[in-house]
Amino acid sequence: PYNNIYKAMNYIIENDYLRVTIRSLGAEVISVVDKESGKELWWNADPAYWAGYSPILFPACGGLWNGEYKYQGKTYKMVKHGFVRTMEFVPSEEKEYASISFSVQETEETKLQYPFAFTLTITYALNGKTLTCNASVANPSDSEVLHYQIGGHPAIMLPDFEKGADVVGYMLPEPKDGISVVRASEQGCFGGDRFGIPQDTEGLIPISVDTFRNEALIFDKSQVKKMTLLRIDKQTPICHITHGAPVLLVWQMTDLLCPYVCVEPWYGMPDRIGYSVDLDIRPYSQHAMPGEVSMHNLWDIEFCL
């Protein structure tokens, strides 16, 4: 709604191992290619399964109850996951061979959903076989605190996908013991119950329709700081995903076996079902003081080529 999609351009960073393509619309990774084999490692946005690649979530993660929140006595409407995924980011003038930054600022239209000035900068960098995504959130105000949530939504291709299969891969959380999840459900918000996860004796979580039958797995409370994706032999790693966020959400479409899985570090949570709350007390909200720049590691993905 805020930008002409036809302005979007693609930018490439690469090193000896990987070639990464980032689209200026939403500052979104749309391709990661293993240069030696030529194989695509990133989800390709096939609309038969899910038409996204890896949106940046800001200034909300997940659903808002009734699509709204309150701030200083006023009610605002905001779309799920926030609005920057539909905005045109500006690439930095200084682009290195293996890293690039993109920035976006508020507009008069964004202020209708979110009454703050901000500068959001997303930086991608390659180091060997690892792709890193970092974010900085600058608050230009000299008097007002900037309240927000921010998250990543990377989608990894599953090389062993076959239609009709029971399982198309596995996930190994670290730590693997003593963990539980909440579930997103109505309006993308979560309920108060906690659930165990379907792990086998080795601590592996199958990537299957049953695992996502009741929507995403949401590991909150900084329980899981690393997730390894494995092929169906349970031995061969696809990638290792590490992050600095307090929440890690894992998602596929419900009731549809998919050729990808999204492993999403969030500095934020959806609303609780039935409760529309003030922006500054939404679960795991972040706060940039006047004149401050807050830094966030969204994810580091080490591809096992």
Side-chain angles (χ1 to χ4, degrees):
Y2 304 119
N3 292 273
N4 182 346
I5 191 171
Y6 299 107
K7 294 195 304 183
M9 294 183 63
N10 293 342
Y11 297 83
I12 292 175
I13 59 174
E14 58 186 318
N15 62 8
D16 291 341
Y17 304 100
L18 300 169
R19 180 182 296 110
V20 179
T21 305
I22 304 113
R23 184 171 63 181
S24 58
L25 182 70
E28 183 176 28
V29 174
I30 62 172
S31 174
V32 179
V33 172
D34 175 357
K35 292 175 72 170
E36 182 177 355
S37 69
K39 291 182 179 179
E40 179 61 65
L41 308 175
W42 210 250
W43 173 236
N44 59 17
D46 181 349
Y49 297 96
W50 177 55
Y53 293 100
S54 58
I56 299 296
L57 315 182
F58 179 92
C61 293
L64 296 92
W65 187 250
N66 293 330
E68 63 187 31
Y69 69 90
K70 298 178 179 65
Y71 182 66
Q72 294 186 343
K74 184 176 179 179
T75 298
Y76 294 86
K77 292 287 186 180
M78 189 190 292
V79 295
K80 182 180 179 180
H81 291 327
F83 46 75
V84 300
R85 57 194 170 134
T86 63
M87 296 184 73
E88 185 72 18
F89 282 65
V90 177
S92 56
E93 293 183 4
E94 297 182 5
K95 174 188 173 297
E96 298 181 13
Y97 184 66
S99 67
I100 190 171
S101 295
F102 297 84
S103 296
V104 72
Q105 295 178 308
E106 81 285 348
T107 67
E108 291 306 310
E109 289 172 301
T110 67
K111 285 186 175 180
L112 298 176
Q113 288 195 52
Y114 183 65
F116 295 95
F118 66 88
T119 299
L120 170 63
T121 301
I122 303 296
T123 300
Y124 295 102
L126 285 169
N127 182 11
K129 300 174 184 178
T130 298
L131 175 63
T132 292
C133 178
N134 288 323
S136 71
V137 180
N139 179 5
S141 172
D142 59 7
S143 59
E144 190 171 24
V145 178
L146 178 63
H147 307 289
Y148 64 94
Q149 297 179 329
I150 188 167
H153 201 303
I156 307 300
M157 189 79 79
L158 299 173
D160 296 324
F161 174 81
E162 289 187 9
K163 288 185 177 180
D166 292 328
V167 176
V168 292
Y170 291 88
M171 301 178 287
L172 178 62
E174 292 185 26
K176 63 182 181 180
D177 299 318
I179 51 179
S180 62
V181 297
V182 294
R183 293 278 194 172
S185 57
E186 189 176 352
Q187 297 185 26
C189 299
F190 73 95
D193 294 331
R194 301 199 69 86
F195 301 88
I197 51 176
Q199 292 174 286
D200 65 15
T201 56
E202 301 167 84
L204 299 177
I205 305 168
I207 302 174
S208 66
V209 170
D210 284 345
T211 292
F212 300 101
R213 183 79 67 190
N214 297 305
E215 253 282 4
L217 308 178
I218 305 177
F219 300 93
D220 56 352
K221 301 181 180 180
S222 297
Q223 292 181 86
V224 175
K225 288 298 187 182
K226 180 178 180 180
M227 185 72 78
T228 296
L229 302 185
L230 296 159
R231 301 188 66 163
I232 56 174
D233 63 7
K234 298 187 177 183
Q235 301 294 324
T236 307
I238 300 168
C239 65
H240 307 287
I241 301 165
T242 55
H243 64 99
V247 177
L248 187 67
L249 181 143
V250 185
W251 174 79
Q252 269 193 355
M253 284 286 186
T254 301
D255 295 325
L256 178 66
L257 189 68
C258 297
Y260 68 86
V261 67
C262 292
V263 182
E264 310 174 30
W266 288 6
Y267 293 83
M269 280 272 284
D271 281 339
R272 181 93 170 250
I273 291 172
Y275 296 91
S276 179
V277 300
D278 288 1
L279 180 68
D280 58 335
I281 58 171
R282 292 194 73 224
Y284 296 103
S285 278
Q286 307 294 303
H287 316 283
M289 297 297 109
E292 180 180 80
V293 178
S294 294
M295 306 296 296
H296 305 279
N297 170 240
L298 293 190
W299 38 261
D300 297 283
I301 302 177
E302 179 187 2
F303 293 94
C304 303
L305 307 180

